[in-house]
Amino acid sequence: MKQILVTGANGQLGKALQARTGNYPALDFYFTDMDTLDITNKEALFAFVRSNRIQCILNLAAYTNVEQAEEDTKMAYLINAEAMRNLAEVAGAFRCHVIHVSTDYVFDGSNHRPYVETDATRPLSTYGRTKLAGEVILQEAMADAVIVRTSWLYSEFGNNFLNTMLRLGKEKEELSVVYDQIGTPTYAGDLAYALIAILMRWEKGAWEAGIYHFSNEGVCSWYDFARKIMELAALPCKVMPVETKDYPTKAQRPLYSVLNKAKIKTTYNLTIPHWEESLRSVPCLNIPKK
């Protein structure tokens, strides 16, 4: 069996992964979070990897509050960037592999076609800058690391756009959502299966290092996404389109962050569902299966 450490396991992606690992007996997962393993503490990380004979670290831990990161820059950098140095040093000491999840926010949104892995990065926010710094630190220390960038992650777990819209849709008659930020929602369950596909390829003897992009298929705005949520949840709340300039936030977001997924689909033979198809499958919407 392959021994895999999963950090940040109490986040929405970690919970989605935990719900899907039972059918993979060749993979032995150790799910941890800040309360059981602090990745900013190199000594604790070293001791855990050594005592459990970890062979691969799947890093899902991240400072993901985009707005708060603008004020809490030091903590965002510590978790999203500096901790990557700890992961790389410990992994190097025990010859572990590392898979790290990153973000579309490493781009500035000036593209007019889906971003490929080799496109120039220019993050606009503290969150994006700290995540990019983490990518750089990890790749400089570990040439064989796998980095998976994703976008607009949501699930039935925790705080995310889907759950926020479901809550507001029950509380309000009308709400405004930006229509000029374009990207692709990603269901955490689909990303979890993609990460398992990477691990299963490794379990069979192949390790494909590098940066990959993963999201669901299709393109929409946050406004389109919100309207579809209200429709599927049968909520009467009216969604009104608003421009980004009329909805000021502390953090600047890319106006276009659609990801090209050709590389990960080809390398791991993945078939990725359209975002609307995946949204319909989320348990909290209670949509009967056809």
Side-chain angles (χ1 to χ4, degrees), residues 194-227:
L195 296 173
I196 290 171
I198 295 171
L199 291 168
M200 288 302 297
R201 179 72 62 85
W202 164 60
E203 190 273 334
K204 291 177 171 58
W207 181 261
E208 308 284 353
I211 297 176
Y212 297 89
H213 288 170
F214 183 93
S215 70
N216 281 113
E217 298 284 18
V219 177
C220 68
S221 69
W222 288 110
Y223 164 74
D224 298 320
F225 190 22
R227 279 185 53 116

Side-chain angles (χ1 to χ4, degrees), residues 35-63:
D35 57 346
T36 52
L37 182 62
D38 181 359
I39 64 171
T40 67
N41 184 331
K42 186 168 70 174
E43 289 72 25
L45 187 61
F46 188 98
F48 190 99
V49 170
R50 179 179 58 188
S51 63
N52 293 289
R53 299 182 179 181
I54 298 299
Q55 297 164 279
C56 182
I57 301 173
L58 174 51
N59 183 47
L60 310 183
Y63 190 110

Side-chain angles (χ1 to χ4, degrees), residues 6-11 31-41 44 60-63 75 78-80 83:
V6 181
T7 65
N10 287 342
F31 292 101
T32 68
D33 207 80
M34 180 70 76
D35 57 346
T36 52
L37 182 62
D38 181 359
I39 64 171
T40 67
N41 184 331
L60 310 183
Y63 190 110
M75 184 58 68
L78 178 64
I79 296 172
N80 291 344

Side-chain angles (χ1 to χ4, degrees), residues 156-264:
E156 62 270 36
F157 305 111
N159 297 318
N160 55 68
F161 188 80
L162 170 62
N163 288 331
T164 298
M165 289 299 104
L166 291 175
R167 174 176 57 81
L168 293 177
K170 295 171 184 175
E171 297 173 354
K172 297 179 177 292
E173 295 181 357
E174 180 179 302
L175 59 88
S176 297
V177 180
V178 295
Y179 74 89
D180 56 353
Q181 292 178 26
I182 308 300
T184 309
T186 304
Y187 179 43
D190 293 333
L191 178 54
Y193 279 129
L195 296 173
I196 290 171
I198 295 171
L199 291 168
M200 288 302 297
R201 179 72 62 85
W202 164 60
E203 190 273 334
K204 291 177 171 58
W207 181 261
E208 308 284 353
I211 297 176
Y212 297 89
H213 288 170
F214 183 93
S215 70
N216 281 113
E217 298 284 18
V219 177
C220 68
S221 69
W222 288 110
Y223 164 74
D224 298 320
F225 190 22
R227 279 185 53 116
K228 183 55 67 172
I229 291 169
M230 299 304 171
E231 175 191 326
L232 294 178
L235 292 170
C237 179
K238 187 176 182 179
V239 181
M240 302 298 293
V242 63
E243 292 183 56
T244 297
K245 67 180 180 61
D246 297 322
Y247 192 84
T249 57
K250 295 175 186 175
Q252 187 177 354
R253 276 110 168 135
L255 293 180
Y256 181 93
S257 62
V258 180
L259 300 176
N260 183 310
K261 297 166 284 290
K263 181 180 177 182
I264 198 167

